[in-house]
Amino acid sequence: MANTKSAAKSARQSVRRRARNTSVISSLKTEQKALRKALADGNAETAKAGVAKFSAALDKAAKRGVIHKNVANRKKSRLAKALAAKKA
């Protein structure tokens, strides 16, 4: 139990933040799984559109501090590389 009002408020805020961050991370994982499936199936058009959408979601999550910016950049790079390999 928190000993001060500020500690109690901090605890309440962290609960809200954790719920929001968990939701964002979960949706990112779902989008990534759908992209990987599209790449595996050979749907280049679907994958290309998905990569753009996923990149925007990664950037937004990194901007808000849910994930580190280097993690976002690494995931975008690997997906772009996978997409380019499928096209070739």
Side-chain angles (χ1 to χ4, degrees):
M1 188 66 199
N3 291 327
T4 62
K5 287 176 76 173
S6 61
K9 181 178 179 180
S10 178
R12 290 192 306 268
Q13 287 174 330
S14 68
V15 168
R16 285 196 301 268
R17 287 185 187 125
R18 182 171 185 263
R20 189 179 313 121
N21 291 346
T22 303
S23 172
V24 170
I25 290 171
S26 175
S27 66
L28 286 174
K29 286 180 179 179
T30 303
E31 285 185 43
Q32 186 175 15
K33 194 195 302 190
L35 269 174
R36 295 253 179 232
K37 187 176 185 316
L39 284 171
D41 293 344
N43 297 338
E45 298 82 24
T46 307
K48 187 174 180 181
V51 166
K53 182 180 172 191
F54 185 61
S55 293
L58 284 171
D59 288 336
K60 193 172 185 181
K63 181 177 76 175
R64 292 180 174 177
V66 177
I67 60 174
H68 196 275
K69 68 175 187 174
N70 290 356
V71 172
N73 290 335
R74 183 177 67 240
K75 287 181 184 285
K76 289 191 299 185
S77 174
R78 288 180 180 171
L79 276 171
K81 193 174 177 182
L83 183 63
K86 282 293 179 182
K87 284 184 177 180

